[in-house]
Amino acid sequence: MTSNLTTPAPALLLRGLRKEYASAGGPVRAVDGLDLEVARGEVVAVLGPNGAGKTSTIDMVLGLSAPTSGTVQVFGADPADVIAAGRVAAVLQTGGLLRDITVGETVALTAALFGRAGSPRPYLERAGIADLAGRRVGACSGGQQQRLRFAMALVGEPDLLLLDEPTTGMDVAGRRAFWAAIRADAAAGRTVVFATHDLQEADTYADRVVLVSQGRVVADGPTADVKSLASGRTVGARVDDAGERADVTARLRALDVVDAVDQRGARLLVRTSDSDLVARFLLTQTVASDVEVAGDNLEGAFVALTTTAPTTDGAHR
Ligand SMILES: Nc1ncnc2c1ncn2[C@@H]1O[C@H](COP(=O)(O)OP(=O)(O)OP(=O)(O)O)[C@@H](O)[C@H]1O
């Protein structure tokens, strides 16, 4: 078989990725064994609550920080090599802008750095800010600056675009224009991975949703599948102790109304034909806490899969 010679490597391949930061209160495990594969041309939303490890993961993909363990491959190669070749660009939440030059000058300067001759205008147009070309960057609103970062990212014509909460600060029209540009790029074969808190945005614009909680992937699939994972018949609950979790799982499985019990870290996800009965059982006859009945939407899935009780010592687990 020669398929491994002819099949192109995925755009992104993360295996067993871990990142620990030193801190005064002890090490913080920001990313905890994260596995993710993104095919070329996919638009993938990475969703997760604050502190889930999204930015830490993007930083490792961009080669801005080294994994504590695990591997990152971008188009089958080391991130540093792929970035040096100009195949990856990012729109990050902050930084990267000079306030005293104009929007047009910023994009022209970026183009010069990439060795691209010609007018910056097409990039400004694609990012929907051609009318702002003469405005000083420092005078632009937060949303306009985000669109400028997007124009800068487009200059390199990257194969992979990483976006960290890209539409923060953009108004409704700005968001629409931004996503129209992204979808057009994706249709032309570009791979897009974006981190967001905006469930609606993920639902509308991504082909696939990856839910991250406490540094791990807790759900991954087409948006519709992730939603149905936690449809009206799914109850989520937390059981901290592993022994008790096994006991509660066994007792749940013995109930007639329970179809399946999945485990995601300390959380149990119970698929059932009677969510009221299961919720009552969990609350009154077991040690489970944080019991949630998920709604039939992405928000329900998000809550059921990522809700965690604060730990008593504030540690991140
Ligand atoms: N340099 C650092 N030193 C210590 N802890 C850090 C550092 N950077 C991130 N963390 C911690 O790592 C965890 C993951 O943070 P990260 O910024 O990756 O999450 P996130 O999912 O991007 O969050 P948000 O949605 O709030 O942007 C958090 O608990 C955070 O406080």
Side-chain angles (χ1 to χ4, degrees):
M1 279 276 287
T2 55
S3 64
N4 57 345
L5 295 176
T6 53
T7 309
L12 191 58
L13 186 64
L14 310 180
R15 283 286 172 258
L17 198 61
R18 287 200 160 69
K19 181 71 187 179
E20 268 187 23
Y21 298 104
S23 84
V28 176
R29 192 171 290 173
V31 180
D32 191 14
L34 193 136
D35 293 310
L36 179 65
E37 182 168 342
V38 176
R40 295 174 190 225
E42 271 192 298
V43 178
V44 176
V46 180
L47 276 166
N50 289 131
K54 303 180 295 292
T55 302
S56 299
T57 302
I58 288 177
D59 284 353
M60 288 187 276
V61 173
L62 289 172
L64 296 173
S65 82
T68 305
S69 63
T71 56
V72 178
Q73 281 194 350
V74 185
F75 298 112
D78 190 74
D81 296 337
V82 184
I83 287 159
R87 296 186 67 192
V88 182
V91 177
L92 303 180
Q93 292 178 60
T94 53
L97 298 177
L98 300 169
R99 297 176 61 80
D100 292 326
I101 61 173
T102 67
V103 166
E105 286 165 348
T106 303
V107 178
L109 194 64
T110 311
L113 287 174
F114 276 97
R116 299 212 189 264
S119 159
R121 189 147 187 105
Y123 303 113
L124 295 171
E125 275 170 2
R126 269 161 72 193
I129 48 171
D131 55 330
L132 301 177
R135 190 168 302 175
R136 207 171 55 81
V137 172
C140 290
S141 70
Q144 290 166 341
Q145 291 187 357
Q146 274 302 82
R147 288 163 86 168
L148 173 56
R149 289 191 183 94
F150 177 47
M152 293 163 73
L154 292 175
V155 167
E157 299 290 359
D159 296 322
L160 171 64
L161 196 50
L162 294 167
L163 310 161
D164 195 359
E165 296 178 35
T167 56
T168 305
M170 284 186 200
D171 59 20
V172 175
R175 278 170 192 244
R176 282 221 189 101
F178 174 85
W179 285 113
I182 290 283
R183 293 296 326 185
D185 277 0
R190 184 165 292 161
T191 311
V192 180
V193 178
F194 66 99
T196 184
H197 291 285
D198 190 321
L199 300 158
Q200 184 68 45
E201 216 163 68
D203 198 1
T204 310
Y205 298 110
D207 304 320
R208 179 176 149 204
V209 170
V210 176
L211 281 186
V212 177
S213 179
Q214 298 190 324
R216 288 170 165 270
V217 173
V218 293
D220 179 356
T223 318
D225 290 5
V226 172
K227 280 197 259 187
S228 70
L229 238 189
S231 70
R233 298 190 304 130
T234 298
V235 181
R238 182 182 176 102
V239 182
D240 284 320
D241 180 83
E244 282 175 343
R245 202 157 52 237
D247 175 57
V248 173
T249 301
R251 288 167 62 204
L252 281 165
R253 286 189 175 136
L255 296 177
D256 283 348
V257 294
V258 168
D259 299 326
V261 183
D262 289 332
Q263 198 177 308
R264 316 269 162 146
R267 270 193 98 63
L268 297 177
L269 287 181
V270 189
R271 247 168 287 157
T272 172
S273 54
D274 190 339
S275 52
D276 286 346
L277 189 149
V278 169
R280 205 175 308 122
F281 171 80
L282 284 165
L283 284 169
T284 59
Q285 296 186 42
T286 76
V287 295
S289 59
D290 284 335
V291 175
E292 300 264 8
V293 179
D296 189 12
N297 56 28
L298 197 52
E299 188 170 351
F302 183 82
V303 169
L305 293 163
T306 66
T307 302
T308 51
T311 52
T312 45
D313 59 0
H316 197 76
R317 295 181 300 160

